[in-house]
């Protein structure tokens, strides 16, 4: 394994392998290659979803796969996300509630900067709170001693820790389902990896004293329901107590060394790594310890639940039978450099690649890349994660046989030997658990 500095050096373009990558067009597009310069005709074809690669259903070329508008839909490029402190390259997926994802090429940092971190809300954004350390939350329910604690008390009474961990939306990858799942059409950008500082949720639950009946949690935040109805929660999810007691499940007040930004749930949020980020309640007001599985907003039915008996894609299901709550997120890898749609100088034969891989509760066993649509795979070098739930940064170089159009594919395999599929699988109405391999298009010459 390489350390981070070695990884950066290895990935730095060297003079003899022509690292002169330049994006096609000004703004790389989710629709793939943008119209621009000599690529206009290829770009136009790609933007309209013309199949340039495999004709297999759900396996269109990388150039057309990324956010190609549905047949008949008005061709509409990605909507930029305009929010204070956020990179303009983020892509707005919805403004009510406010949701924005990070294109793969912006996940190129070892630690995702706050400006590039995805944003997901289910309700209105909580009122901006200036209390900081005076913010308080409650621990109630199946505990001996219900607690009300301020952030200041968390800081002084418990042992702080900092962990670099992936936060990933349960719906990440949803747009790859055929037919589409209901909800925000995430590509791979509903994820980021930040340094989270806070205390172990387990330490606080122990201080409250768990009763024998303490089997599940339920989480509440201060954000109003989208409708403004005070009787409803924007979202309120919960988990088995074993997950809550893991040392990496944290009450967090800082992100990348800064006070937790308002949009990411400051002054206080939960970070429950490995599982759908909907458990990682922002603007945390209450953790309810329960005997029974939580029944809040976003629990039950088909919400954050997967079929235990595979469904016919597109069929109706209410989730009442043969569905189970999502636990670990599936294995995923992305190419973060070069960007999809990069044009390389004629004669370029060596292409350096950089990326990331992660696998929910599991470790990454290997990451492989292919330039011939998966006929042959080669391994890349992985850096050592900082701690459990950190992502793996990887680098590699692929050789191209000629000028022309190529796709680079990446797939990761988790520590159980489970690899990313070629297409999204286990279709479900709300489109969870979709993790097909990531593909980028490059044009040489
Ligand atoms: N209070 C509250 N917490 C929340 C949510 C929310 O809508 N309200 N959304 C959840 C979901 S679905 C995700 S994916 C993550 C997103 O966290 P981020 O906006 O900091 O990226 O927050 C989770 N925590
Ligand atoms: Mo989410």
């Amino acid at each position: 394994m390489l350390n981070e500095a070695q990884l950066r050096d290895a990935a730095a373009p060297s003079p003899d392998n022509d690292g002169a990558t330049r994006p096609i067009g000004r703004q790389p597009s989710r629709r793939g290659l943008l119209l621009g310069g000599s690529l206009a005709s290829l770009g136009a074809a790609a933007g309209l979803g013309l199949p340039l690669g495999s004709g297999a259903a759900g396996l269109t070329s990388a150039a057309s796969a990324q956010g190609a508008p549905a047949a008949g839909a008005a061709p509409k490029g990605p909507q930029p996300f305009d929010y204070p402190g956020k990179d303009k390259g983020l892509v707005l997926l919805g403004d009510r509630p406010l949701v924005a994802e990070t294109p793969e090429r912006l996940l190129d940092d070892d630690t995702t900067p706050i400006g590039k971190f995805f944003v997901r809300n289910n309700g209105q954004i909580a009122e901006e709170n200036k209390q900081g350390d005076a913010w308080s939350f409650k621990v109630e329910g199946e505990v001996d001693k219900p607690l009300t604690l301020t952030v200041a008390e968390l800081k002084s009474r418990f042992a702080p820790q900092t962990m670099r961990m992936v936060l990933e939306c349960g719906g990440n990858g949803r747009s790859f389902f055929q037919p589409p799942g209901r909800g925000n059409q995430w590509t791979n950008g509903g994820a980021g990896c930040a340094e989270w500082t806070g205390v172990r949720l387990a330490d606080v639950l122990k201080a409250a004293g768990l009763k024998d009946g303490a089997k599940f949690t339920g989480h509440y935040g201060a954000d109003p329901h989208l409708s403004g109805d005070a009787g409803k929660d924007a979202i309120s999810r919960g988990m088995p107590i074993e997950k809550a007691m893991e040392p990496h499940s944290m009450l967090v007040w800082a992100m990348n060394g800064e006070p937790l930004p308002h949009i990411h749930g400051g002054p206080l949020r939960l970070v429950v790594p490995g599982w759908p980020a909907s458990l990682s309640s922002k603007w945390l007001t209450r953790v309810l310890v329960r005997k029974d599985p939580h029944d809040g907003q976003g629990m039950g039915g088909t919400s954050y639940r997967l079929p235990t008996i595979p469904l016919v894609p597109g069929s109706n299901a209410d989730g009442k039978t043969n569905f189970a709550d999502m636990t670990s997120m599936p294995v995923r890898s992305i190419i973060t450099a070069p960007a999809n749609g990069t044009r390389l100088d004629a004669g370029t034969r060596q292409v350096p690649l950089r990326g990331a891989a992660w696998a929910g509760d599991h470790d990454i066993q290997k990451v492989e890349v292919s330039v011939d649509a998966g006929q042959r795979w080669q391994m890349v070098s992985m850096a050592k994660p900082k701690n459990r739930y950190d992502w793996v940064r990887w680098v590699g170089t692929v050789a191209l046989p000629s000028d022309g159009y190529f796709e680079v594919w990446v797939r990761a395999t988790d520590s159980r030997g489970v690899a990313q599929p070629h297409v999204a699988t286990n279709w479900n109405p709300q489109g969870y658990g979709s993790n097909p391999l990531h593909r980028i298009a490059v044009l040489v010459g």
Side-chain angles (χ1 to χ4, degrees), residues 97-117:
L98 191 66
V99 182
E101 78 166 333
T102 316
E104 293 92 350
R105 67 174 200 284
L106 291 185
L107 290 172
D108 198 33
D109 303 271
D110 293 338
T111 302
T112 310
I114 288 169
K116 296 179 184 170
F117 207 91

Side-chain angles (χ1 to χ4, degrees), residues 118 120 122 168-171 186 235 276-278 304:
F118 80 100
R120 165 64 162 135
N122 289 267
E168 181 173 25
C169 181
W186 302 103
I235 190 165
S278 48
Y304 302 100

Side-chain angles (χ1 to χ4, degrees), residues 54-285:
S54 160
L59 197 59
T60 50
S61 76
S64 61
Q66 304 226 332
K76 195 166 138 199
Q79 304 297 301
F81 182 52
D82 201 357
Y83 194 88
K86 287 293 176 180
D87 192 296
K88 295 277 189 292
L90 264 58
V91 175
L92 186 73
L93 298 183
D95 50 10
R96 246 189 83 81
L98 191 66
V99 182
E101 78 166 333
T102 316
E104 293 92 350
R105 67 174 200 284
L106 291 185
L107 290 172
D108 198 33
D109 303 271
D110 293 338
T111 302
T112 310
I114 288 169
K116 296 179 184 170
F117 207 91
F118 80 100
V119 171
R120 165 64 162 135
N121 296 290
N122 289 267
Q124 299 178 31
I125 294 169
E127 204 177 300
E128 175 127 30
N129 181 279
K130 311 276 185 201
Q131 291 173 5
D133 283 3
W135 176 273
S136 70
F137 79 108
K138 290 183 162 64
V139 181
E140 296 176 330
E142 294 295 307
V143 292
D144 297 326
K145 194 166 48 130
L147 298 174
T148 301
L149 290 167
T150 62
V151 174
E153 287 168 320
L154 283 180
K155 288 180 178 175
S156 63
R157 284 180 49 188
F158 301 89
Q161 64 182 23
T162 297
M163 297 281 169
R164 194 169 79 183
M165 304 193 289
V166 172
L167 191 71
E168 181 173 25
C169 181
N172 203 21
R174 179 178 289 137
S175 67
F176 305 122
F177 272 119
Q178 256 330 313
R182 268 197 326 267
N184 297 291
Q185 293 301 305
W186 302 103
T187 63
N188 285 308
C193 189
E195 302 254 9
W196 307 103
T197 301
V199 295
R200 295 178 179 188
L201 175 59
D203 289 349
V204 174
L205 293 177
K206 281 181 209 156
L210 291 179
K211 290 187 170 166
D212 287 346
K215 300 284 191 240
F216 298 91
T217 61
H219 314 158
Y220 295 86
D223 44 334
H225 189 265
L226 205 55
S227 64
D229 183 340
K232 291 184 182 165
D233 294 308
I235 190 165
S236 175
R237 301 206 61 242
M239 59 195 169
I241 199 75
E242 292 75 22
K243 184 67 183 172
M245 297 302 281
E246 271 190 7
H248 294 83
S249 292
M250 292 172 62
L251 293 153
V252 163
W253 60 75
M255 182 177 185
N256 296 351
E258 291 180 33
L260 185 62
H262 171 59
I263 192 67
H264 293 298
L268 187 70
R269 79 176 301 167
L270 284 169
V271 171
V272 180
W275 289 26
S278 48
L279 289 165
S280 298
S281 187
K282 307 198 277 192
W283 310 295
L284 185 72
T285 55

